[in-house]
Amino acid sequence: MKIGLDMMGGDFAPLEAVKSLQLYLSGTTSPANLFLFGDEAQLQPLLEEYNIPLEAVKIVHAPEVIGMHEHPTKALKEKQQSSIAIGFGYLGKGVIDAFISAGNTGAMLVGAVYSLKAMEGVLRPTISTIIPKENGGTGLLLDVGLNADCKPENLNQFALLGSLYAKHILGVDNPRVALINIGEEEGKGNLLAQATYPLLKENTAINFVGNIEGRDVLLDKADVMVCEGFTGNIILKLAESIYEITDRKGIHHEYFDRFNFENYGGTPVLGVNKPVIIGHGISQSRAFSNMITLAEKMIDSNLLQIMQESFQS
């Protein structure tokens, strides 16, 4: 398999991206073919310094960088020689099988949606995040920011995409799907929640277990939790703050440690035709390495084809 890595994306690029190669290669006996998109003049000395074997990687020179605060659509259009633009070009042509970046999130989302297109039948792609459960399990929350406003049909599709991801990547058999709401009873919530509930209830492709409240998100009430991106992003940022606060105060516990995003690397864009993984802007080597591993899982599990077949049927 061939995995592309944006070496210039993120606050600590390209150093942490190069260090991640050392971490990834030291932990596998059958590494993927890695395509490194970035400024060759900056990458070559770092690859030599960290003893990255040149036969394990292929540098694709990309002299331009899309900054973290640039307008996504404008930057992609004007910076055709950027690491993100060239990476999506390689992905779209099938030269690589997956593309990873911790760079400009908006540019990655625009590239994923407009360069690759959504799967046939998918109204809107979505992004998710891992939710550590109190009992040691793992939950999935989506959408977490790509779609701030949604229609009931969108949430119904997110439920299916999340279920397939939970089953084939997280290893959850028959994942329980819940709708995040302000009450457990059917009929609760705003107009979106009230209209979404019957769609989820009638969806035979998922295991819908009803509504859950905010206090249930970290408990073992559901495996896949669905909401629009406005609510999901607030929950995501609140979860991130839990780790930041406990870390600053020196509170060390294995449960709170699971809120460290570096453990998961990044989030895939679900609903597009090829694996695209977006990392946090402050990603360091462990996060980059875990994103490569996640890309491998998505390719090995044939997840994208499974999703495509689910929506075609």
Side-chain angles (χ1 to χ4, degrees):
M1 68 181 70
K2 300 174 182 178
I3 297 174
L5 183 60
D6 171 17
M7 303 298 289
M8 312 308 292
D11 294 348
F12 305 114
L15 176 60
E16 291 298 325
V18 171
K19 289 167 66 176
S20 78
L21 301 177
Q22 187 183 60
L23 185 61
Y24 165 73
L25 292 171
S26 66
T28 180
T29 56
S30 55
N33 294 318
L34 301 174
F35 284 63
L36 313 182
F37 300 95
D39 184 355
E40 189 170 4
Q42 295 186 56
L43 294 179
Q44 195 71 50
L46 287 171
L47 293 173
E48 293 176 2
E49 180 182 350
Y50 285 91
N51 299 313
I52 306 301
L54 295 182
E55 65 271 15
V57 300
K58 176 179 175 60
I59 299 176
V60 180
H61 183 53
E64 296 181 316
V65 178
I66 295 178
M68 298 297 277
H69 301 292
E70 290 191 63
H71 187 278
T73 305
K74 185 173 182 287
L76 274 174
K77 184 177 180 180
E78 295 180 353
K79 292 187 173 181
Q80 292 292 303
Q81 294 303 304
S82 65
S83 51
I84 289 180
I86 294 177
F88 274 115
Y90 270 56
L91 186 61
K93 294 174 184 175
V95 180
I96 56 177
D97 303 309
F99 182 48
I100 296 165
S101 177
N104 186 304
T105 300
M108 285 296 291
L109 293 172
V110 169
V113 173
Y114 292 101
S115 296
L116 301 178
K117 309 299 182 185
M119 293 177 182
E120 185 177 352
V122 174
L123 299 172
R124 290 187 188 179
T126 181
I127 54 176
S128 63
T129 190
I130 295 294
I131 296 293
K133 295 182 184 178
E134 182 191 29
N135 69 346
T138 300
L140 189 73
L141 172 69
L142 68 170
D143 185 282
V144 292
L146 181 52
N147 302 283
D149 295 298
C150 292
K151 295 180 179 179
E153 294 80 8
N154 301 137
L155 298 190
N156 192 31
Q157 291 193 344
F158 297 167
L160 178 55
L161 290 168
S163 292
L164 294 172
Y165 186 83
K167 180 177 181 180
H168 295 281
I169 301 299
L170 302 181
V172 181
D173 185 44
N174 194 25
R176 299 161 296 170
V177 177
L179 176 65
I180 294 182
N181 209 328
I182 59 172
E184 293 184 354
E185 303 84 3
E186 184 174 353
K188 284 278 190 175
N190 57 15
L191 293 176
L192 175 62
Q194 291 175 23
T196 300
Y197 191 102
L199 294 183
L200 297 175
K201 187 177 181 180
E202 295 167 8
N203 189 342
T204 58
I206 63 172
N207 177 21
F208 182 55
V209 295
N211 291 324
I212 60 168
E213 300 179 72
R215 62 186 176 186
D216 302 319
V217 171
L218 302 180
L219 304 181
D220 192 28
K221 294 289 187 73
D223 304 299
V224 177
M225 294 160 281
V226 178
C227 60
E228 89 295 337
F230 186 90
T231 299
N233 191 262
I234 290 174
I235 295 174
L236 168 62
K237 298 299 171 58
L238 178 62
E240 288 180 349
S241 74
I242 291 175
Y243 175 74
E244 292 171 2
I245 292 171
T246 55
D247 187 53
R248 281 202 305 268
K249 292 184 177 295
I251 302 171
H252 298 294
H253 189 279
E254 60 181 11
Y255 177 65
F256 294 128
D257 290 343
R258 295 183 64 213
F259 283 84
N260 184 353
F261 74 91
E262 294 262 338
N263 294 328
Y264 313 106
T267 180
V269 182
L270 301 179
V272 294
N273 287 302
K274 294 186 179 180
V276 174
I277 300 173
I278 302 174
H280 203 298
I282 58 173
S283 292
Q284 298 190 40
S285 59
R286 184 153 56 103
F288 279 106
S289 179
N290 284 331
M291 283 190 276
I292 298 172
T293 301
L294 175 56
E296 287 181 321
K297 278 187 178 181
M298 292 182 70
I299 296 168
D300 281 337
S301 66
N302 213 17
L303 176 64
L304 278 295
Q305 185 176 337
I306 293 170
M307 287 180 170
Q308 290 166 348
E309 291 172 352
S310 296
F311 278 90
Q312 289 170 3
S313 61

